[in-house]
Amino acid sequence: MRIWKRWIVGLVVTLTAILPATPVFGAQRVAAAGTVTAEPSGWHLCSQDDMNNLAPKVTVEILSAARSVTTTSSPYAFVNNNDHDVLFPYSIVRSATQASDTTIGGTMQLSGKIVEATINAGYLQHVASTTSESAGATLLVKARSTGWVQGFAIFTQVAAKITIKSVELVYFLGAPWCKRSEQMIIQGARIPLVAALCAWSYPQQKCDLSQVASGGSRGGQPAWSGGSTPPPGPQPVTSVNGLADGTLLTTTDSGRVYKMVGGAPIWQATCADGICSGTSRPTTQAVINAGPATPRNAATVIDQRGRIFLFVGGAPIWQDSCAAPVSCGSPVKVSNWSVDARDHMNEVPADGHLVQAKAGSVDLPVAVTIGGALVTFASPQEIIDAGYGTNWAGRVVAISSASYNHLGFIPPDGTLVQGTSGGTSTPVAAIVGGARINFASPQEVIDAGHGTDWASKVRAVPTRHFNLMPTVPSDGTLIQGSVGSTPVAAIIGTARVNFASPQEVIDAGFGTDWASKVRAVPARAFNDVPTQIMDGTRIKNGTSASQAAVVGGAKVPFTSMEELNGSGYGDRPLWTVPSRVWDALPVKIADGTRIRKAGSTSQAAIVGGAKVPFTSMEELEGAGYGNAPLFVVPARVWDALSNDIKDGTRIQGAGAAGQAAIVGGAKVSFTSMEELQGAGYADKPLYLLPPRVWDALSTRIADGTRLKDSGSASQAAVVGGARVDFVNEQEVADAGYNGKVMQVIPNRVWKALPTRIADGTRLKDSGSGSQAAVVGGARVDFANEQEVADAGYNGKVMQVIPNRVWKALPTRIADGTRLKDSGSGSQAAVVGGARVDFANEQEVADAGYNGKVMQVIPNRVWKALPTQIADGTYVKSPASASVWLINGGRKTAAQQSSNVQVIPTRVLDAIPSS
């Protein structure tokens, strides 16, 4: 440890002036804003602190950020039918953008928080919500030619991790019980950054989007397009230092024409459009080469297109407006090629230059150029801490708000940064795909390819900004653990998708030169990247044409482009994943996902694997889905979703205090927190259901469900609606329940379950191949499969019960059971253990059996039933109140009894009297 400390101290002298603080690793690492801390689990009686924090607390962390450009209008043509060039003003052409993109989703509350977090992270200064227009811009259109102007919008595409911490509150027996819970949502958003105008003319065929994003593009070698080199003047120039802007120079040895801009000579590709007007002074190429490499800050030029550029850090920054506080002065006219080829100019601003802009009446933050992008400051102290001194204000260059935003706020890959504030520093980090990847040691920096002189490349940023930077590279970034320590992977939907071979990388669309695009990161950081693809991501299966969306963590395939477009994925980026990865993706949408049916306004939530539709926004919001992202699924997928909530799901009726579990498809309610905890549901997610859905749930546990008593180790199966207990694990296995999930229910519910198996249940003995039906509470055995089919039981699920239980079942059919012979249309009732036949349907009705379920029994069993009513049975006819007692096969008049069996008059009359 002492050696490590001495090494850190030794670094102080190697750092550039831009980083006053020493790179520090390990102990001083600062957690990223929005990092989730573990909350205590379990229910407890509510404290006052719980009651004070019932309102959800929402935090948003930006995981990744990238920029995109979209057209917002059709090209507007300026036709020049004249025989001379015409300068067209195009301030009347507007570029409209939208206040917020639909991909933000959810309510305005969540949308606002995503935007706020993006602004705090420095990747956005304000949302473009109004039209943008050029102030006095002009376009030079050649004679008999056409020029065009088109509107564009620049967006910041972000992936945000939304953490909602809340306190769940329920009342049991009048006491409030609380549990702290945490919900995490990964959500994409496309936020309008700025509206822009792009102008071009013949022979250029279309707008160069790089002009929209950065204010210019690289050109080729200079070519004279008109005019002639002015004759040299009598006063040779031996040094360009001190020459005024606009001074024209001609090299006598190389024959080039230069024009002075901000102290630097800029090569001119043409003298057309009055560029070379005035007297030129002779010089040599050596004098030119000895001059400043770039113009000084705030110098301005205007090219042949009428574009004004202001220099910052040696780079020409296109100014769409020169309104105060921007000062364009008297721009020096230069050729288009001079700007496009960046002669005596930097491609992007050099590091360490301060700029500021004004958007309407809003002062945008002072920012510093790093890697050609801007890093904003929140206070003067942050500027001082970053090493720009107390006199920093005098070095700030005012630029237009559009050019400020055009520079962007995401440093390029490979930029090394470190947060500094109040004399302490964060770890050193590299920018990879717009994200901050922290290093834990100097060796990690070297292994990632930044060289042994890496310390001189580190740029200081505010600690606040450092902590708010995304931690996951933007989609489409290729990464690999340093020194080849991991597979190559692509970031897709904020997740790491590993490749198994170079061909997979090529098939994913990264080209045969993919290796040059791979960014090295520490293996530790590589493994920390999540592997679950974010919901709302559009993916493609390897080299096939199959496409899908990720919804609730699941792959939802599209069967046609109509389905894809109808679900709103037509304009989303398409990412190719290896077929191996495609096949491994889950197909079950996760619980808690909010979905909408394509082509319809119908919405639902996934609860326990089932689709629970909402009939109104009140139901939706009452169930807590008002802030949840909404994902559209094809109508085909919607229709195929299950309507049955899976067992083991914890539920609550919206607006109600009671909670329940789904067990065997039934709602099993808890009457206390002790019951809920005893059944093992305290740590399970709670899903709210509309009262309408809650009330409609069945309370009968389905047959075949394996149960456990929360108050003991007892287990049972539900068979025919009854609890059939197991006495040991062997019985569980013999009955085929050892592979089934055990559903724990409260002891109160366990005790209340019936123990008589319902009539019509098909049984099988676990100790043999024997089958039977339960008829009148009795076991009626089948002799063969034909009897099973004839009795109508071959389509019923066979419930296996322990041999012990099989043997203990009664074999006498209970009185009052309505029977039917499987071999004929004959019907009967069981009275006093005997089969009492009905001659017709009228007798069935008169005896009160037409409302009873008819139990079909094998003809063999039908024939074997006794026909003499057992002694002690009370009977009566339908038409008389007289009661008779059966004794020795005869009837005797008796007093009224509470248990009298009604039999047809014909049958009663046939019984002899005592």
Side-chain angles (χ1 to χ4, degrees):
M1 177 61 80
R2 291 178 180 174
I3 295 174
W4 178 247
K5 283 185 176 179
R6 284 202 299 269
W7 180 87
I8 292 175
V9 172
L11 284 180
V12 174
V13 296
T14 70
L15 298 181
T16 60
I18 199 170
L19 180 66
T22 303
V24 178
F25 298 89
Q28 294 191 31
R29 185 177 304 160
V30 180
T35 299
V36 177
T37 55
E39 293 286 353
S41 61
W43 289 89
H44 56 272
L45 286 170
C46 296
S47 65
Q48 187 58 50
D49 183 61
D50 290 324
M51 303 304 285
N52 293 339
N53 289 282
L54 293 179
K57 291 181 172 58
V58 180
T59 58
V60 178
E61 177 186 350
I62 302 302
L63 296 177
S64 66
R67 301 180 80 200
S68 62
V69 180
T70 303
T71 59
T72 58
S73 65
S74 299
Y76 187 91
F78 292 95
V79 180
N80 180 9
N81 291 321
N82 299 294
D83 292 327
H84 58 274
D85 298 351
V86 175
L87 201 62
F88 285 92
Y90 58 88
S91 59
I92 57 169
V93 180
R94 296 173 179 245
S95 173
T97 185
Q98 46 196 7
S100 60
D101 190 80
T102 54
T103 58
I104 291 179
T107 65
M108 286 305 297
Q109 180 184 5
L110 268 190
S111 299
K113 287 187 177 293
I114 293 176
V115 171
E116 180 184 3
T118 308
I119 291 174
N120 289 340
Y123 295 102
L124 184 71
Q125 297 308 313
H126 69 294
V127 176
S129 58
T130 61
T131 59
S132 173
E133 64 176 288
S134 171
T138 57
L139 173 66
L140 182 68
V141 180
K142 296 293 183 178
R144 300 297 177 182
S145 185
T146 303
W148 293 269
V149 175
Q150 186 172 17
F152 288 83
I154 300 177
F155 290 87
T156 296
Q157 180 82 38
V158 300
K161 180 171 76 173
I162 304 164
T163 305
I164 305 174
K165 293 184 179 181
S166 60
V167 175
E168 295 182 48
L169 170 66
V170 295
Y171 283 91
F172 279 124
L173 304 178
W177 289 76
C178 287
K179 179 184 177 183
R180 296 182 182 181
S181 65
E182 185 174 290
Q183 176 189 9
M184 190 186 77
I185 302 169
I186 305 296
Q187 178 64 25
R190 195 169 68 134
I191 306 169
L193 178 68
V194 69
L197 295 171
C198 184
W200 71 98
S201 59
Y202 182 84
Q204 190 177 347
Q205 298 300 310
K206 62 180 181 178
C207 176
D208 182 351
L209 294 184
S210 65
Q211 295 181 14
V212 178
S214 63
S217 62
R218 296 285 307 191
Q221 291 300 314
W224 293 97
S225 61
S228 59
T229 304
Q235 299 177 341
V237 173
T238 57
S239 172
V240 299
N241 293 328
L243 292 181
D245 282 1
T247 300
L248 200 65
L249 303 173
T250 302
T251 58
T252 56
D253 48 358
S254 61
R256 295 176 181 178
V257 177
Y258 287 86
K259 211 168 186 180
M260 294 300 297
V261 176
I266 294 177
W267 185 7
Q268 301 305 301
T270 178
C271 281
D273 303 316
I275 292 175
C276 301
S277 61
T279 301
S280 176
R281 298 178 63 184
T283 188
T284 64
Q285 193 64 49
V287 171
I288 295 294
N289 295 343
T294 61
R296 61 178 171 269
N297 279 357
T300 58
V301 296
I302 184 170
D303 67 8
Q304 295 166 276
R305 294 165 293 213
R307 292 172 175 268
I308 295 177
F309 296 86
L310 186 150
F311 285 89
V312 174
I317 308 299
W318 175 36
Q319 300 301 295
D320 64 303
S321 171
C322 287
V326 179
S327 176
C328 294
S330 299
V332 177
K333 191 158 191 177
V334 297
S335 69
N336 293 340
W337 179 89
S338 300
V339 176
D340 294 346
R342 298 293 196 267
D343 182 70
H344 276 77
M345 305 176 193
N346 291 329
E347 181 68 35
V348 296
D351 290 353
H353 294 270
L354 301 175
V355 298
Q356 188 175 24
K358 197 178 189 73
S361 60
V362 177
D363 289 327
L364 300 182
V366 172
V368 64
T369 55
I370 292 181
L374 298 181
V375 171
T376 59
F377 297 107
S379 69
Q381 189 59 51
E382 283 191 345
I383 306 175
I384 295 169
D385 288 345
Y388 296 99
T390 55
N391 62 341
W392 58 267
R395 299 197 300 276
V396 176
V397 178
I399 61 177
S400 70
S401 61
S403 64
Y404 180 98
N405 285 309
H406 285 167
L407 285 170
F409 307 96
I410 304 174
D413 286 0
T415 304
L416 294 179
V417 296
Q418 183 173 33
T420 177
S421 176
T424 60
S425 301
T426 69
V428 171
I431 303 300
V432 176
R436 160 178 61 84
I437 304 297
N438 289 6
F439 295 112
S441 71
Q443 191 59 50
E444 282 194 345
V445 189
I446 296 169
D447 289 344
H450 296 282
T452 54
D453 62 340
W454 60 267
S456 64
K457 305 171 187 176
V458 177
R459 300 294 178 253
V461 299
T463 296
R464 168 195 56 79
H465 178 84
F466 183 95
N467 291 334
L468 289 173
M469 292 177 73
T471 54
V472 178
S474 59
D475 285 358
T477 305
L478 291 178
I479 60 173
Q480 184 177 30
S482 299
V483 201
S485 55
T486 69
V488 171
I491 303 299
I492 296 176
T494 71
R496 168 172 54 84
V497 175
N498 290 4
F499 294 112
S501 69
Q503 191 59 50
E504 281 192 347
V505 188
I506 296 169
D507 291 343
F510 291 98
T512 54
D513 62 339
W514 60 267
S516 64
K517 303 170 186 176
V518 177
R519 301 293 177 254
V521 299
R524 168 190 51 77
F526 181 96
N527 294 325
D528 284 343
V529 177
T531 55
Q532 180 174 322
I533 299 176
M534 181 178 69
D535 288 353
T537 304
R538 177 184 171 193
I539 57 175
K540 177 178 172 293
N541 177 12
T543 57
S544 80
S546 301
Q547 293 190 38
V550 177
V551 176
K555 173 184 65 188
V556 177
F558 301 113
T559 59
S560 66
M561 284 303 296
E562 287 74 17
E563 275 195 353
L564 187 148
N565 291 325
S567 298
Y569 285 85
D571 61 351
R572 296 202 183 183
L574 177 62
W575 301 105
T576 301
V577 300
S579 296
R580 167 184 53 80
V581 176
W582 172 281
D583 294 339
L585 286 170
V587 294
K588 183 177 179 182
I589 301 175
D591 289 353
T593 305
R594 177 185 170 192
I595 59 174
R596 179 170 71 80
K597 181 179 182 179
S600 167
T601 58
S602 299
Q603 294 191 39
I606 301 297
V607 176
K611 171 187 67 191
V612 177
F614 301 113
T615 59
S616 66
M617 283 304 295
E618 287 74 18
E619 276 194 353
L620 185 149
E621 291 172 353
Y625 287 88
N627 280 333
L630 176 62
F631 299 98
V632 182
V633 298
R636 168 187 54 82
V637 175
W638 172 282
D639 294 339
L641 286 168
S642 171
N643 296 310
D644 299 321
I645 302 174
K646 72 178 180 183
D647 289 357
T649 305
R650 177 182 168 198
I651 57 173
Q652 180 177 9
Q659 294 188 36
I662 298 295
V663 176
K667 175 179 66 182
V668 175
S669 298
F670 301 114
T671 60
S672 67
M673 284 304 301
E674 287 75 15
E675 278 195 352
L676 186 147
Q677 290 173 321
Y681 284 84
D683 290 326
K684 291 194 175 185
L686 175 64
Y687 297 100
L688 297 183
L689 301 178
R692 166 187 55 82
V693 177
W694 171 272
D695 294 340
L697 287 171
S698 170
T699 55
R700 186 181 189 273
I701 301 175
D703 288 357
T705 305
R706 180 184 178 187
L707 303 177
K708 180 185 177 296
D709 175 21
S710 68
S712 69
S714 300
Q715 293 186 47
V718 176
V719 177
R723 191 191 83 215
V724 175
D725 296 343
F726 299 117
V727 296
N728 53 50
E729 285 294 334
Q730 189 60 51
E731 283 195 348
V732 174
D734 291 344
Y737 283 84
N738 55 340
K740 292 190 176 184
V741 176
M742 190 161 51
Q743 305 294 330
V744 183
I745 60 175
N747 178 259
R748 167 188 55 82
V749 178
W750 175 277
K751 290 178 178 177
L753 285 171
T755 54
R756 174 177 168 173
I757 301 174
D759 287 356
T761 305
R762 180 184 178 187
L763 303 177
K764 181 182 178 297
D765 175 19
S766 68
S768 69
S770 301
Q771 293 186 47
V774 176
V775 177
R779 191 190 83 217
V780 175
D781 296 343
F782 296 116
N784 51 55
E785 285 294 335
Q786 188 59 51
E787 283 194 349
V788 175
D790 291 343
Y793 282 84
N794 55 339
K796 293 190 175 183
V797 176
M798 189 160 53
Q799 305 294 330
V800 183
I801 60 175
N803 177 260
R804 170 187 54 82
V805 178
W806 173 277
K807 291 177 179 178
L809 286 172
T811 55
R812 173 176 171 174
I813 301 173
D815 287 354
T817 305
R818 180 184 178 187
L819 303 177
K820 180 182 179 297
D821 175 18
S822 68
S824 69
S826 301
Q827 293 186 47
V830 177
V831 178
R835 190 191 82 216
V836 174
D837 296 342
F838 296 117
N840 51 53
E841 285 292 338
Q842 188 60 50
E843 283 191 351
V844 175
D846 291 344
Y849 282 84
N850 56 340
K852 292 189 176 183
V853 177
M854 189 161 52
Q855 304 294 329
V856 183
I857 60 175
N859 177 260
R860 172 186 55 80
V861 178
W862 173 278
K863 290 177 178 178
L865 286 172
T867 55
Q868 181 172 316
I869 301 173
D871 290 352
T873 305
Y874 290 92
V875 298
K876 68 181 288 294
S877 69
S880 172
S882 299
V883 176
W884 303 85
L885 175 65
I886 302 301
N887 187 16
R890 295 177 175 274
K891 63 185 179 190
T892 303
Q895 298 295 321
Q896 182 70 33
S897 171
S898 60
N899 187 21
V900 179
Q901 304 290 322
V902 180
I903 60 177
T905 301
R906 169 186 56 79
V907 177
L908 182 62
D909 290 346
I911 300 174
S913 301
S914 298

